[in-house]
Amino acid sequence: MKMFLGFLSSSVLFLVVVSARDVEFSKKSEFKEADYVFFNYNDLRVGAKMPIYFGGAFDSEVPNFLPKDKADMIPFSSQKLPFLLNYFGFQPESPQAKAMEYSLKKCEGEIPDAQGAKKCVTSLDSMIDFIRETFKISNTGNGGQLFDDLKVLSTSPLPKSAKVFQPYTIIEQPKRVPSPKMTACHMLTYPYAVYYCHNPDPENRVYEITLMGEDGTRVNAVASCHMNSKAFDPNLMVFRMFNTQPGSPVCHFLSSDGLLWVPANPSSL
């Protein structure tokens, strides 16, 4: 397995969405492009139109996992950042260095993050261990039981031929995915694949949404809606974006390099 030493731009990790009727997308808007990760819960219906900005995350640009034995040999600590920058060949003031520092500090809990169980995983084996612990699935040695009991949802990558920003329409009835328990894993910007995994509130709702772009691009997207946002910071821009208050649903699409693990048979939990 090769090591990916390149970096995606800061916008690559986002599939950003905003409802056309709530916010007029323009450079004069108070919101940055990276803020458009949310959409209006009331727009979960066939025919709803919204401009969507895909910041990248093409198949060929997603870094690979390292084998666990190799990942475990590389320090993963902000205190070791000077060593890591030298190891990967990045200058201390480079964008790559700043991105690595952010990712490391997020994993160390220095940056506000989700509540509940959470962990940064640096290999596929580490991710599977966290998933097994969350869903109380025994280790069978070959991973068979894990994939019998769970399924992984993700948003389809944007084709390179598609426009990165264009209007999209919901063309099929959004499908709610039963998810009494779930684990979301978000890729962090790092020289090799590192995911920030956490267990969202079980009150969250998960949807699979089929979108059609103005240029004919079809995207099968996964979205998560936080149905109770009372504990959210009232200053979050999403409340200004849709003129809502804490407590109202807050929905966002999962980026195409994100993974959402849910039970294959929810009734068994």
Side-chain angles (χ1 to χ4, degrees):
M1 184 178 295
K2 67 180 180 179
M3 182 181 295
F4 183 91
L5 296 182
F7 261 82
L8 312 184
S9 67
S10 60
S11 64
V12 162
L13 301 181
F14 296 98
L15 161 62
V16 284
V17 179
V18 63
S19 171
R21 72 184 184 192
D22 291 296
V23 177
E24 180 181 358
F25 185 88
S26 73
K27 293 183 179 178
K28 296 181 180 180
S29 171
E30 66 169 300
F31 307 111
K32 301 176 182 178
E33 287 185 351
D35 291 335
Y36 295 111
V37 67
F38 302 100
F39 68 95
N40 195 316
Y41 182 72
N42 294 327
D43 285 336
L44 277 172
R45 54 184 174 79
V46 175
K49 295 182 179 180
M50 58 191 77
I52 303 177
Y53 175 83
F54 285 87
F58 303 111
D59 269 337
S60 61
E61 296 177 336
V62 176
N64 293 316
F65 269 125
L66 294 181
K68 188 176 187 304
D69 58 345
K70 291 186 178 180
D72 290 346
M73 292 175 62
I74 302 173
F76 193 77
S77 166
S78 59
Q79 294 183 349
K80 297 292 186 179
L81 186 59
F83 167 83
L84 290 167
L85 294 179
N86 181 67
Y87 183 83
F88 290 113
F90 297 130
Q91 294 299 315
E93 299 302 318
S94 66
Q96 294 92 336
K98 296 183 183 300
M100 288 180 66
E101 182 178 19
Y102 177 90
S103 295
L104 289 167
K105 287 187 174 181
K106 182 175 182 64
C107 291
E108 292 168 351
E110 293 188 28
I111 296 172
D113 53 15
Q115 300 297 315
K118 48 189 174 284
K119 182 179 182 180
C120 284
V121 298
T122 58
S123 68
L124 180 58
D125 287 339
S126 295
M127 179 185 290
I128 289 176
D129 287 343
F130 182 76
I131 300 301
R132 289 188 191 282
E133 181 179 350
T134 298
F135 290 91
K136 308 302 180 185
I137 296 174
S138 62
N139 188 344
T140 61
N142 58 13
Q145 184 178 348
L146 180 73
F147 294 101
D148 287 340
D149 294 346
L150 303 177
K151 60 181 178 179
V152 186
L153 307 177
S154 63
T155 294
S156 59
L158 183 71
K160 284 194 172 182
S161 59
K163 298 177 182 178
V164 296
F165 176 69
Q166 63 173 316
Y168 278 82
T169 302
I170 297 179
I171 61 172
E172 296 179 7
Q173 182 63 36
K175 176 185 176 183
R176 184 177 173 185
V177 180
S179 49
K181 184 181 291 187
M182 69 188 85
T183 294
C185 293
H186 309 282
M187 180 171 281
L188 299 179
T189 307
Y190 212 71
Y192 53 91
V194 173
Y195 280 82
Y196 170 79
C197 296
H198 67 102
N199 301 329
D201 190 318
E203 291 187 10
N204 286 12
R205 295 182 181 179
V206 176
Y207 293 90
E208 293 180 313
I209 303 171
T210 303
L211 302 163
M212 182 65 71
E214 188 177 55
D215 67 351
T217 298
R218 183 185 178 102
V219 178
N220 298 315
V222 176
S224 177
C225 291
H226 303 258
M227 301 308 295
N228 185 354
S229 63
K230 288 182 180 179
F232 285 29
D233 183 346
N235 296 316
L236 283 178
M237 59 81 196
V238 65
F239 298 123
R240 300 195 307 276
M241 182 178 286
F242 298 116
N243 193 28
T244 55
Q245 300 293 327
S248 58
V250 172
C251 300
H252 63 88
F253 281 81
L254 192 70
S255 61
S256 56
D257 51 18
L259 304 172
L260 188 64
W261 297 76
V262 298
N265 181 16
S267 63
S268 65
L269 293 183

